[in-house]
mmCIF file of all heavy atoms in Angstrom:
data_model
loop_
_atom_site.group_PDB
_atom_site.id
_atom_site.type_symbol
_atom_site.label_atom_id
_atom_site.label_comp_id
_atom_site.label_asym_id
_atom_site.label_seq_id
_atom_site.Cartn_x
_atom_site.Cartn_y
_atom_site.Cartn_z
ATOM 1 N N ILE A 1 28.134 0.109 3.667
ATOM 2 C CA ILE A 1 27.287 -0.372 2.658
ATOM 3 C C ILE A 1 25.820 -0.240 3.062
ATOM 4 O O ILE A 1 25.453 -0.616 4.208
ATOM 5 C CB ILE A 1 27.541 -1.853 2.357
ATOM 6 C CG1 ILE A 1 28.961 -2.090 1.966
ATOM 7 C CG2 ILE A 1 26.648 -2.391 1.166
ATOM 8 C CD1 ILE A 1 29.518 -3.509 1.736
ATOM 9 N N SER A 2 25.031 0.400 2.225
ATOM 10 C CA SER A 2 23.626 0.613 2.597
ATOM 11 C C SER A 2 22.882 -0.780 2.540
ATOM 12 O O SER A 2 23.407 -1.814 1.950
ATOM 13 C CB SER A 2 22.947 1.473 1.546
ATOM 14 O OG SER A 2 22.879 0.869 0.232
ATOM 15 N N LYS A 3 21.666 -0.823 3.006
ATOM 16 C CA LYS A 3 20.818 -2.037 2.974
ATOM 17 C C LYS A 3 20.463 -2.235 1.472
ATOM 18 O O LYS A 3 20.098 -1.273 0.793
ATOM 19 C CB LYS A 3 19.594 -1.878 3.766
ATOM 20 C CG LYS A 3 19.860 -1.951 5.282
ATOM 21 C CD LYS A 3 18.543 -1.877 6.065
ATOM 22 C CE LYS A 3 18.828 -1.961 7.530
ATOM 23 N NZ LYS A 3 17.625 -1.892 8.338
ATOM 24 N N PRO A 4 20.354 -3.476 1.001
ATOM 25 C CA PRO A 4 19.981 -3.692 -0.406
ATOM 26 C C PRO A 4 18.467 -3.257 -0.637
ATOM 27 O O PRO A 4 17.629 -3.412 0.261
ATOM 28 C CB PRO A 4 20.094 -5.142 -0.547
ATOM 29 C CG PRO A 4 20.247 -5.810 0.832
ATOM 30 C CD PRO A 4 20.690 -4.629 1.755
ATOM 31 N N GLN A 5 18.262 -2.670 -1.731
ATOM 32 C CA GLN A 5 16.873 -2.354 -2.109
ATOM 33 C C GLN A 5 16.662 -2.857 -3.511
ATOM 34 O O GLN A 5 17.520 -2.996 -4.334
ATOM 35 C CB GLN A 5 16.814 -0.783 -2.173
ATOM 36 C CG GLN A 5 16.967 -0.160 -0.739
ATOM 37 C CD GLN A 5 16.687 1.353 -0.759
ATOM 38 O OE1 GLN A 5 16.481 1.902 -1.793
ATOM 39 N NE2 GLN A 5 16.714 1.929 0.455
ATOM 40 N N LEU A 6 15.335 -3.067 -3.789
ATOM 41 C CA LEU A 6 14.938 -3.423 -5.197
ATOM 42 C C LEU A 6 14.934 -2.153 -6.033
ATOM 43 O O LEU A 6 14.456 -1.127 -5.597
ATOM 44 C CB LEU A 6 13.584 -4.073 -5.187
ATOM 45 C CG LEU A 6 13.529 -5.514 -4.692
ATOM 46 C CD1 LEU A 6 12.118 -5.972 -4.582
ATOM 47 C CD2 LEU A 6 14.341 -6.474 -5.487
ATOM 48 N N LEU A 7 15.497 -2.226 -7.271
ATOM 49 C CA LEU A 7 15.371 -1.232 -8.163
ATOM 50 C C LEU A 7 14.094 -1.359 -9.002
ATOM 51 O O LEU A 7 14.086 -2.338 -9.684
ATOM 52 C CB LEU A 7 16.673 -1.117 -9.056
ATOM 53 C CG LEU A 7 16.805 -0.023 -10.149
ATOM 54 C CD1 LEU A 7 17.004 1.322 -9.393
ATOM 55 C CD2 LEU A 7 17.941 -0.308 -10.972
ATOM 56 N N GLY A 8 13.241 -0.418 -8.934
ATOM 57 C CA GLY A 8 11.952 -0.505 -9.619
ATOM 58 C C GLY A 8 11.845 0.093 -11.029
ATOM 59 O O GLY A 8 10.830 0.090 -11.612
ATOM 60 N N LYS A 9 12.991 0.629 -11.496
ATOM 61 C CA LYS A 9 13.051 1.341 -12.791
ATOM 62 C C LYS A 9 14.281 0.966 -13.537
ATOM 63 O O LYS A 9 15.114 0.361 -12.947
ATOM 64 C CB LYS A 9 12.868 2.811 -12.558
ATOM 65 C CG LYS A 9 13.910 3.385 -11.603
ATOM 66 C CD LYS A 9 13.631 4.820 -11.284
ATOM 67 C CE LYS A 9 14.492 5.474 -10.346
ATOM 68 N NZ LYS A 9 15.659 4.990 -9.772
ATOM 69 N N ALA A 10 14.479 1.575 -14.677
ATOM 70 C CA ALA A 10 15.613 1.401 -15.487
ATOM 71 C C ALA A 10 16.783 1.990 -14.684
ATOM 72 O O ALA A 10 16.603 2.979 -14.056
ATOM 73 C CB ALA A 10 15.499 1.974 -16.864
ATOM 74 N N LEU A 11 17.918 1.481 -14.907
ATOM 75 C CA LEU A 11 19.132 1.927 -14.299
ATOM 76 C C LEU A 11 19.777 2.988 -15.177
ATOM 77 O O LEU A 11 19.904 2.744 -16.457
ATOM 78 C CB LEU A 11 20.169 0.764 -14.078
ATOM 79 C CG LEU A 11 21.482 1.003 -13.319
ATOM 80 C CD1 LEU A 11 21.995 -0.302 -12.900
ATOM 81 C CD2 LEU A 11 22.438 1.754 -14.090
ATOM 82 N N HIS A 12 20.061 4.138 -14.672
ATOM 83 C CA HIS A 12 20.717 5.243 -15.514
ATOM 84 C C HIS A 12 22.044 5.557 -14.851
ATOM 85 O O HIS A 12 22.165 5.709 -13.612
ATOM 86 C CB HIS A 12 19.772 6.493 -15.422
ATOM 87 C CG HIS A 12 18.510 6.368 -16.115
ATOM 88 N ND1 HIS A 12 18.322 6.364 -17.413
ATOM 89 C CD2 HIS A 12 17.344 6.084 -15.522
ATOM 90 C CE1 HIS A 12 17.047 6.118 -17.718
ATOM 91 N NE2 HIS A 12 16.418 5.974 -16.628
ATOM 92 N N THR A 13 23.102 5.640 -15.690
ATOM 93 C CA THR A 13 24.415 5.991 -15.148
ATOM 94 C C THR A 13 25.169 6.809 -16.178
ATOM 95 O O THR A 13 24.841 6.772 -17.440
ATOM 96 C CB THR A 13 25.166 4.711 -14.789
ATOM 97 O OG1 THR A 13 26.405 5.050 -14.119
ATOM 98 C CG2 THR A 13 25.395 3.855 -16.028
ATOM 99 N N GLN A 14 26.200 7.524 -15.684
ATOM 100 C CA GLN A 14 27.131 8.233 -16.586
ATOM 101 C C GLN A 14 28.500 7.569 -16.679
ATOM 102 O O GLN A 14 29.212 7.780 -17.704
ATOM 103 C CB GLN A 14 27.325 9.617 -15.996
ATOM 104 C CG GLN A 14 26.084 10.488 -16.054
ATOM 105 C CD GLN A 14 25.687 10.959 -17.473
ATOM 106 O OE1 GLN A 14 26.603 11.303 -18.239
ATOM 107 N NE2 GLN A 14 24.483 10.935 -17.726
ATOM 108 N N PHE A 15 28.846 6.861 -15.710
ATOM 109 C CA PHE A 15 30.114 6.137 -15.721
ATOM 110 C C PHE A 15 30.085 4.895 -14.818
ATOM 111 O O PHE A 15 29.523 4.872 -13.754
ATOM 112 C CB PHE A 15 31.281 7.069 -15.158
ATOM 113 C CG PHE A 15 32.683 6.498 -15.363
ATOM 114 C CD1 PHE A 15 33.328 6.598 -16.510
ATOM 115 C CD2 PHE A 15 33.245 5.787 -14.249
ATOM 116 C CE1 PHE A 15 34.674 6.039 -16.687
ATOM 117 C CE2 PHE A 15 34.502 5.253 -14.364
ATOM 118 C CZ PHE A 15 35.195 5.389 -15.664
ATOM 119 N N GLY A 16 30.710 3.842 -15.297
ATOM 120 C CA GLY A 16 30.697 2.600 -14.556
ATOM 121 C C GLY A 16 31.293 1.396 -15.367
ATOM 122 O O GLY A 16 31.887 1.575 -16.378
ATOM 123 N N VAL A 17 31.056 0.202 -14.770
ATOM 124 C CA VAL A 17 31.566 -1.029 -15.333
ATOM 125 C C VAL A 17 30.446 -2.084 -15.242
ATOM 126 O O VAL A 17 29.788 -2.188 -14.252
ATOM 127 C CB VAL A 17 32.796 -1.473 -14.535
ATOM 128 C CG1 VAL A 17 33.301 -2.823 -15.073
ATOM 129 C CG2 VAL A 17 33.854 -0.491 -14.458
ATOM 130 N N LEU A 18 30.284 -2.798 -16.294
ATOM 131 C CA LEU A 18 29.227 -3.843 -16.369
ATOM 132 C C LEU A 18 30.021 -5.183 -16.593
ATOM 133 O O LEU A 18 30.872 -5.296 -17.485
ATOM 134 C CB LEU A 18 28.300 -3.615 -17.534
ATOM 135 C CG LEU A 18 27.187 -4.678 -17.727
ATOM 136 C CD1 LEU A 18 25.937 -3.992 -18.142
ATOM 137 C CD2 LEU A 18 27.643 -5.743 -18.692
ATOM 138 N N ILE A 19 29.686 -6.139 -15.749
ATOM 139 C CA ILE A 19 30.245 -7.505 -15.903
ATOM 140 C C ILE A 19 29.090 -8.536 -15.967
ATOM 141 O O ILE A 19 28.245 -8.582 -15.068
ATOM 142 C CB ILE A 19 31.267 -7.844 -14.806
ATOM 143 C CG1 ILE A 19 32.441 -6.868 -14.959
ATOM 144 C CG2 ILE A 19 31.832 -9.243 -14.850
ATOM 145 C CD1 ILE A 19 33.237 -6.677 -13.696
ATOM 146 N N GLY A 20 29.138 -9.403 -16.941
ATOM 147 C CA GLY A 20 28.115 -10.409 -17.041
ATOM 148 C C GLY A 20 28.334 -11.580 -16.109
ATOM 149 O O GLY A 20 29.477 -11.920 -15.782
ATOM 150 N N ILE A 21 27.308 -12.210 -15.518
ATOM 151 C CA ILE A 21 27.318 -13.336 -14.685
ATOM 152 C C ILE A 21 26.574 -14.397 -15.290
ATOM 153 O O ILE A 21 25.385 -14.252 -15.797
ATOM 154 C CB ILE A 21 26.706 -13.035 -13.323
ATOM 155 C CG1 ILE A 21 27.515 -11.835 -12.633
ATOM 156 C CG2 ILE A 21 26.783 -14.300 -12.428
ATOM 157 C CD1 ILE A 21 26.814 -11.354 -11.386
ATOM 158 N N THR A 22 27.203 -15.620 -15.441
ATOM 159 C CA THR A 22 26.535 -16.817 -15.988
ATOM 160 C C THR A 22 26.626 -17.914 -15.046
ATOM 161 O O THR A 22 27.392 -17.794 -14.086
ATOM 162 C CB THR A 22 27.223 -17.215 -17.391
ATOM 163 O OG1 THR A 22 28.598 -17.607 -17.102
ATOM 164 C CG2 THR A 22 27.134 -16.079 -18.437
ATOM 165 N N GLY A 23 25.936 -19.013 -15.307
ATOM 166 C CA GLY A 23 25.979 -20.110 -14.426
ATOM 167 C C GLY A 23 24.593 -20.443 -13.859
ATOM 168 O O GLY A 23 23.576 -20.429 -14.584
ATOM 169 N N ASP A 24 24.514 -20.786 -12.545
ATOM 170 C CA ASP A 24 23.291 -21.117 -11.889
ATOM 171 C C ASP A 24 22.289 -19.962 -11.921
ATOM 172 O O ASP A 24 21.088 -20.174 -11.867
ATOM 173 C CB ASP A 24 23.529 -21.526 -10.487
ATOM 174 C CG ASP A 24 24.191 -22.882 -10.269
ATOM 175 O OD1 ASP A 24 24.126 -23.638 -11.370
ATOM 176 O OD2 ASP A 24 24.686 -23.223 -9.261
ATOM 177 N N VAL A 25 22.769 -18.824 -11.979
ATOM 178 C CA VAL A 25 21.857 -17.601 -12.212
ATOM 179 C C VAL A 25 22.621 -16.678 -13.140
ATOM 180 O O VAL A 25 23.850 -16.632 -13.150
ATOM 181 C CB VAL A 25 21.601 -16.880 -10.813
ATOM 182 C CG1 VAL A 25 22.883 -16.337 -10.281
ATOM 183 C CG2 VAL A 25 20.534 -15.858 -11.027
ATOM 184 N N GLY A 26 21.825 -16.011 -14.053
ATOM 185 C CA GLY A 26 22.355 -15.174 -15.003
ATOM 186 C C GLY A 26 22.118 -13.669 -14.663
ATOM 187 O O GLY A 26 21.061 -13.441 -14.076
ATOM 188 N N GLY A 27 22.952 -12.855 -15.135
ATOM 189 C CA GLY A 27 22.675 -11.412 -14.865
ATOM 190 C C GLY A 27 23.927 -10.600 -15.007
ATOM 191 O O GLY A 27 24.848 -10.971 -15.859
ATOM 192 N N LYS A 28 24.011 -9.427 -14.399
ATOM 193 C CA LYS A 28 25.074 -8.515 -14.587
ATOM 194 C C LYS A 28 25.380 -7.807 -13.239
ATOM 195 O O LYS A 28 24.480 -7.485 -12.423
ATOM 196 C CB LYS A 28 24.688 -7.430 -15.609
ATOM 197 C CG LYS A 28 24.558 -7.906 -17.037
ATOM 198 C CD LYS A 28 23.488 -7.114 -17.742
ATOM 199 C CE LYS A 28 22.861 -7.830 -18.910
ATOM 200 N NZ LYS A 28 22.060 -8.936 -18.670
ATOM 201 N N LEU A 29 26.649 -7.642 -13.084
ATOM 202 C CA LEU A 29 27.057 -6.771 -11.895
ATOM 203 C C LEU A 29 27.516 -5.526 -12.463
ATOM 204 O O LEU A 29 28.262 -5.435 -13.440
ATOM 205 C CB LEU A 29 28.369 -7.459 -11.213
ATOM 206 C CG LEU A 29 29.024 -6.613 -10.135
ATOM 207 C CD1 LEU A 29 28.146 -6.500 -8.880
ATOM 208 C CD2 LEU A 29 30.334 -7.316 -9.734
ATOM 209 N N VAL A 30 26.928 -4.332 -11.967
ATOM 210 C CA VAL A 30 27.261 -3.030 -12.469
ATOM 211 C C VAL A 30 27.788 -2.202 -11.316
ATOM 212 O O VAL A 30 27.203 -2.123 -10.283
ATOM 213 C CB VAL A 30 25.941 -2.362 -13.055
ATOM 214 C CG1 VAL A 30 26.386 -0.868 -13.502
ATOM 215 C CG2 VAL A 30 25.402 -3.218 -14.179
ATOM 216 N N LEU A 31 28.925 -1.544 -11.518
ATOM 217 C CA LEU A 31 29.464 -0.615 -10.555
ATOM 218 C C LEU A 31 29.334 0.722 -11.153
ATOM 219 O O LEU A 31 29.679 0.947 -12.390
ATOM 220 C CB LEU A 31 30.983 -0.842 -10.384
ATOM 221 C CG LEU A 31 31.480 -2.311 -10.074
ATOM 222 C CD1 LEU A 31 32.958 -2.305 -9.923
ATOM 223 C CD2 LEU A 31 30.814 -2.763 -8.701
ATOM 224 N N SER A 32 28.708 1.655 -10.475
ATOM 225 C CA SER A 32 28.331 3.029 -11.075
ATOM 226 C C SER A 32 28.696 4.067 -10.106
ATOM 227 O O SER A 32 28.510 3.953 -8.892
ATOM 228 C CB SER A 32 26.860 2.999 -11.382
ATOM 229 O OG SER A 32 26.498 4.247 -11.837
ATOM 230 N N GLY A 33 29.382 5.095 -10.677
ATOM 231 C CA GLY A 33 29.679 6.167 -9.822
ATOM 232 C C GLY A 33 30.377 7.325 -10.591
ATOM 233 O O GLY A 33 30.594 7.136 -11.812
ATOM 234 N N GLU A 34 30.725 8.429 -9.937
ATOM 235 C CA GLU A 34 31.409 9.494 -10.467
ATOM 236 C C GLU A 34 32.846 8.939 -10.895
ATOM 237 O O GLU A 34 33.390 8.129 -10.158
ATOM 238 C CB GLU A 34 31.520 10.655 -9.576
ATOM 239 C CG GLU A 34 30.210 11.311 -9.226
ATOM 240 C CD GLU A 34 29.576 12.036 -10.410
ATOM 241 O OE1 GLU A 34 30.332 12.633 -11.164
ATOM 242 O OE2 GLU A 34 28.361 11.988 -10.456
ATOM 243 N N GLU A 35 33.420 9.469 -11.920
ATOM 244 C CA GLU A 35 34.720 9.058 -12.248
ATOM 245 C C GLU A 35 35.831 9.360 -11.142
ATOM 246 O O GLU A 35 36.731 8.672 -10.942
ATOM 247 C CB GLU A 35 35.197 9.798 -13.575
ATOM 248 C CG GLU A 35 34.576 9.313 -14.812
ATOM 249 C CD GLU A 35 35.028 10.011 -16.030
ATOM 250 O OE1 GLU A 35 36.301 10.172 -16.163
ATOM 251 O OE2 GLU A 35 34.199 10.258 -16.931
ATOM 252 N N THR A 36 35.454 10.502 -10.339
ATOM 253 C CA THR A 36 36.361 10.773 -9.274
ATOM 254 C C THR A 36 36.430 9.711 -8.168
ATOM 255 O O THR A 36 37.444 9.501 -7.555
ATOM 256 C CB THR A 36 35.920 12.193 -8.600
ATOM 257 O OG1 THR A 36 34.530 12.003 -8.215
ATOM 258 C CG2 THR A 36 36.072 13.366 -9.589
ATOM 259 N N VAL A 37 35.313 8.995 -8.025
ATOM 260 C CA VAL A 37 35.311 7.899 -7.008
ATOM 261 C C VAL A 37 36.201 6.789 -7.447
ATOM 262 O O VAL A 37 37.035 6.259 -6.711
ATOM 263 C CB VAL A 37 33.872 7.404 -6.832
ATOM 264 C CG1 VAL A 37 33.828 6.177 -5.842
ATOM 265 C CG2 VAL A 37 32.970 8.508 -6.273
ATOM 266 N N PHE A 38 36.047 6.371 -8.770
ATOM 267 C CA PHE A 38 36.880 5.260 -9.304
ATOM 268 C C PHE A 38 38.351 5.780 -9.282
ATOM 269 O O PHE A 38 39.338 4.998 -8.938
ATOM 270 C CB PHE A 38 36.520 5.011 -10.753
ATOM 271 C CG PHE A 38 35.248 4.159 -10.898
ATOM 272 C CD1 PHE A 38 34.024 4.749 -10.905
ATOM 273 C CD2 PHE A 38 35.374 2.804 -10.936
ATOM 274 C CE1 PHE A 38 32.875 4.003 -10.957
ATOM 275 C CE2 PHE A 38 34.164 2.056 -11.019
ATOM 276 C CZ PHE A 38 32.919 2.596 -11.041
ATOM 277 N N GLY A 39 38.630 7.098 -9.547
ATOM 278 C CA GLY A 39 39.933 7.646 -9.487
ATOM 279 C C GLY A 39 40.561 7.555 -8.129
ATOM 280 O O GLY A 39 41.713 7.245 -7.912
ATOM 281 N N ALA A 40 39.732 7.936 -7.128
ATOM 282 C CA ALA A 40 40.257 7.936 -5.726
ATOM 283 C C ALA A 40 40.571 6.554 -5.230
ATOM 284 O O ALA A 40 41.621 6.322 -4.575
ATOM 285 C CB ALA A 40 39.238 8.592 -4.811
ATOM 286 N N ILE A 41 39.785 5.525 -5.692
ATOM 287 C CA ILE A 41 40.047 4.195 -5.325
ATOM 288 C C ILE A 41 41.382 3.715 -6.039
ATOM 289 O O ILE A 41 42.182 3.122 -5.451
ATOM 290 C CB ILE A 41 38.910 3.248 -5.746
ATOM 291 C CG1 ILE A 41 37.670 3.508 -4.856
ATOM 292 C CG2 ILE A 41 39.249 1.735 -5.595
ATOM 293 C CD1 ILE A 41 36.354 2.916 -5.289
ATOM 294 N N GLY A 42 41.494 4.075 -7.352
ATOM 295 C CA GLY A 42 42.713 3.680 -8.046
ATOM 296 C C GLY A 42 43.958 4.370 -7.446
ATOM 297 O O GLY A 42 44.994 3.730 -7.300
ATOM 298 N N GLU A 43 43.866 5.621 -7.039
ATOM 299 C CA GLU A 43 44.988 6.291 -6.349
ATOM 300 C C GLU A 43 45.370 5.613 -5.066
ATOM 301 O O GLU A 43 46.511 5.384 -4.754
ATOM 302 C CB GLU A 43 44.664 7.781 -6.163
ATOM 303 C CG GLU A 43 45.871 8.587 -5.748
ATOM 304 C CD GLU A 43 45.651 10.065 -5.831
ATOM 305 O OE1 GLU A 43 44.609 10.582 -6.371
ATOM 306 O OE2 GLU A 43 46.557 10.734 -5.453
ATOM 307 N N THR A 44 44.407 5.263 -4.270
ATOM 308 C CA THR A 44 44.685 4.547 -3.040
ATOM 309 C C THR A 44 45.328 3.225 -3.368
ATOM 310 O O THR A 44 46.252 2.824 -2.604
ATOM 311 C CB THR A 44 43.318 4.395 -2.227
ATOM 312 O OG1 THR A 44 42.825 5.560 -1.953
ATOM 313 C CG2 THR A 44 43.598 3.586 -0.979
ATOM 314 N N MET A 45 44.851 2.502 -4.284
ATOM 315 C CA MET A 45 45.335 1.137 -4.560
ATOM 316 C C MET A 45 46.726 1.191 -5.291
ATOM 317 O O MET A 45 47.502 0.273 -4.950
ATOM 318 C CB MET A 45 44.374 0.356 -5.456
ATOM 319 C CG MET A 45 43.124 -0.014 -4.680
ATOM 320 S SD MET A 45 41.847 -0.841 -5.659
ATOM 321 C CE MET A 45 42.671 -2.544 -5.860
ATOM 322 N N PHE A 46 47.021 2.168 -6.106
ATOM 323 C CA PHE A 46 48.180 2.204 -6.883
ATOM 324 C C PHE A 46 49.107 3.349 -6.564
ATOM 325 O O PHE A 46 50.230 3.425 -7.231
ATOM 326 C CB PHE A 46 47.894 2.055 -8.400
ATOM 327 C CG PHE A 46 47.223 0.812 -8.753
ATOM 328 C CD1 PHE A 46 45.824 0.804 -9.092
ATOM 329 C CD2 PHE A 46 47.845 -0.431 -8.697
ATOM 330 C CE1 PHE A 46 45.262 -0.434 -9.394
ATOM 331 C CE2 PHE A 46 47.239 -1.643 -8.993
ATOM 332 C CZ PHE A 46 45.895 -1.610 -9.311
ATOM 333 N N GLY A 47 48.758 4.236 -5.817
ATOM 334 C CA GLY A 47 49.573 5.389 -5.310
ATOM 335 C C GLY A 47 49.901 6.441 -6.470
ATOM 336 O O GLY A 47 50.705 7.206 -6.272
ATOM 337 N N MET A 48 48.879 6.495 -7.336
ATOM 338 C CA MET A 48 49.099 7.532 -8.450
ATOM 339 C C MET A 48 47.725 7.922 -9.056
ATOM 340 O O MET A 48 46.877 7.097 -8.945
ATOM 341 C CB MET A 48 50.053 7.037 -9.585
ATOM 342 C CG MET A 48 49.547 5.832 -10.333
ATOM 343 S SD MET A 48 50.660 5.257 -11.581
ATOM 344 C CE MET A 48 50.073 6.078 -12.959
#
């Protein structure tokens, strides 16, 4: 994992997942990457 950095501009992505966070702090968690990365993780986790 790289060191965290502040993003100073709008976030641009082609593929990913967005999940809202509520409670003591509000925001969103965004996972972004090539479909092949998600596919490789899925294949490792589920064997297909």
Side-chain angles (χ1 to χ4, degrees):
I1 302 172
S2 70
K3 290 184 179 179
Q5 297 185 355
L6 286 174
L7 182 66
K9 55 188 178 0
L11 186 163
H12 297 280
T13 187
Q14 292 290 320
F15 186 83
V17 181
L18 179 145
I19 295 159
I21 301 170
T22 62
D24 287 343
V25 68
K28 294 149 200 71
L29 173 69
V30 177
L31 311 178
S32 175
E34 298 290 325
E35 289 183 39
T36 55
V37 176
F38 286 87
I41 293 169
E43 188 166 353
T44 298
M45 291 177 72
F46 297 109
M48 60 184 266

